[in-house]
Amino acid sequence: MIDIYAMHAEIAALAKQRDAVILAHNYQRAEVQDTAKHVGDSLGLSRIAANTEASVIVFAGVHFMAETAKILSPGKAVLLPESGAGCPMADMITAKQAVAFKAAHPGVPLVTYVNSSAAVKAVTDICCTSANAVEVVRSLGVPRVLFAPDRNLGAWVASQLPDVEVIAWDGFCPVHEAVSPEMVVEMMDLHPLAEILTHPECRPEVNALADAVLSTSGMLDHVASSAADEFVVVTEGGLLHGLAKAAPGKRFYGVEPKMVCRDMKLTTLEKVRDALRDMTGEVTVPEDVRVAALASVERMVSVG
Ligand code: 13P
Ligand code: SF4
């Protein structure tokens, strides 16, 4: 068993020595979240990565997140402590497929979820996250958009913007896709007073049962201000740690079987320590790809 407190101290000392900032996604292991300077959703962490003055960014998350940090902060070393941490949804579309998708719909802008590779972002008109997807599509002011790779986030956007036709790629997050409406209804029966919070990566028929459909940080803000004392939380289980901190005393229930993103859980405290100590796991993006991807990420950041 590792001594978590000793490991936090060792990581803090190494971070100081390396002039590093540690960022962790809301789905990371609790002890990894607790060693980070900033914990957040994809949009919040991108903004921090763009503005940090640290020389090194350690990204406790998955590959596309570290890549996005590198796109925004090319002068910094961006370390991904576990190089095998990917995102199955991001892998569901290649740059070649994205180009063909566009070619099949001339003149229709491609909106791409940040859960995608730098190469896909490089052929994208504008990126979005789950927190700003509706605003990003609205900002375009067009009757039709292409949306990749998440068909469920695309369906959520379409439900919020009835005047826009969303032509979605057929990708999905396996963790959220696995939740059925029956699983949520079972939780509603068990906890009749609870608010139902779902992530837009859930299937449309699951989101239809929700009191609120929110990004991970949207859920954190919501539970702190909501009048409700109990919540059924339909997203990856790592968020439960942050929710308990955001609203102490309130109760949070995940669905069964538990929602676990295997890739998010690959990062451990030891791997964060090793990356900082040995400066390993550096993520690079070819400069031509980075510059092209930056345009679509910056367009998103300017929308909100
Ligand atoms: P957000 O934290 O931006 O809601 O993203 C969820 C997710 O699946 C990240 O991989
Ligand atoms: Fe990808 Fe889903 Fe894991 Fe997020 S939770 S990293 S979308 S597989």
Side-chain angles (χ1 to χ4, degrees):
M1 261 274 282
I2 62 160
D3 179 342
I4 288 183
Y5 296 102
M7 191 66 90
H8 284 319
E10 190 180 354
I11 288 170
L14 283 165
K16 196 165 175 206
Q17 191 187 321
R18 297 288 190 197
D19 186 27
V21 63
I22 303 172
L23 310 181
H25 187 265
N26 288 320
Y27 294 159
Q28 290 287 294
R29 293 167 185 266
E31 66 275 16
V32 172
Q33 294 187 34
D34 291 344
T35 212
K37 174 101 187 280
H38 303 281
V39 183
D41 67 0
S42 308
L43 181 61
L45 294 176
S46 294
R47 287 217 176 95
I48 292 166
N51 295 321
T52 182
E53 288 182 357
S55 319
V56 176
I57 298 171
V58 178
F59 215 122
V62 295
H63 190 262
F64 76 79
M65 296 179 174
E67 245 187 4
T68 305
K70 186 68 182 177
I71 290 166
L72 287 160
S73 290
K76 301 183 192 302
V78 179
L79 309 182
L80 182 67
E82 164 53 59
S83 59
C87 168
M89 168 157 59
D91 294 340
M92 289 181 189
I93 187 165
T94 63
K96 205 172 158 193
Q97 288 172 317
V99 169
F101 192 32
K102 282 174 74 168
H105 302 87
V108 184
L110 174 61
V111 181
T112 301
Y113 193 20
V114 287
N115 297 36
S116 55
S117 68
V120 170
K121 290 183 177 79
V123 296
T124 285
D125 293 288
I126 186 166
C127 288
C128 71
T129 70
S130 60
N132 65 11
V134 174
E135 279 318 305
V136 163
V137 173
R138 199 198 319 265
S139 78
L140 297 175
V142 294
R144 192 172 302 115
V145 297
L146 303 177
F147 195 93
D150 188 2
R151 65 181 182 217
N152 292 334
L153 182 59
W156 167 246
V157 170
S159 74
Q160 299 305 295
L161 299 174
D163 294 338
V164 182
E165 183 191 356
V166 177
I167 305 168
W169 190 254
D170 199 21
F172 58 90
C173 163
V175 180
H176 289 82
E177 181 75 13
V179 178
S180 67
E182 291 74 21
M183 286 158 70
V184 178
V185 168
E186 193 175 316
M187 292 306 290
M188 292 165 86
D189 290 344
L190 282 170
H191 305 287
L193 298 179
E195 273 192 357
I196 312 300
L197 308 182
T198 67
H199 192 278
E201 288 174 15
C202 292
R203 285 149 51 179
E205 56 275 29
V206 167
N207 288 332
L209 296 168
D211 292 299
V213 181
L214 296 162
S215 73
T216 56
S217 287
M219 288 187 192
L220 289 166
D221 292 341
H222 179 85
V223 299
S225 59
S226 167
D229 289 325
E230 296 177 58
F231 304 85
V232 172
V233 180
V234 190
T235 196
E236 210 277 344
L239 188 67
L240 296 172
H241 180 64
L243 289 168
K245 283 184 168 180
K250 296 195 176 184
R251 285 185 296 284
F252 303 99
Y253 313 107
V255 293
E256 292 295 338
K258 292 196 186 340
M259 297 171 71
V260 179
C261 174
R262 186 195 143 273
D263 288 87
M264 283 283 180
K265 300 302 190 247
L266 289 174
T267 305
T268 59
L269 280 181
E270 289 97 323
K271 287 176 185 169
V272 172
R273 188 265 321 271
D274 294 353
L276 272 168
R277 187 190 58 204
D278 307 329
M279 289 296 285
T280 47
E282 185 162 358
V283 170
T284 56
V285 181
E287 187 58 11
D288 56 332
V289 174
R290 190 194 71 77
V291 170
L294 180 64
S296 61
V297 175
E298 277 186 332
R299 255 176 243 132
M300 165 188 87
V301 173
S302 73
V303 171

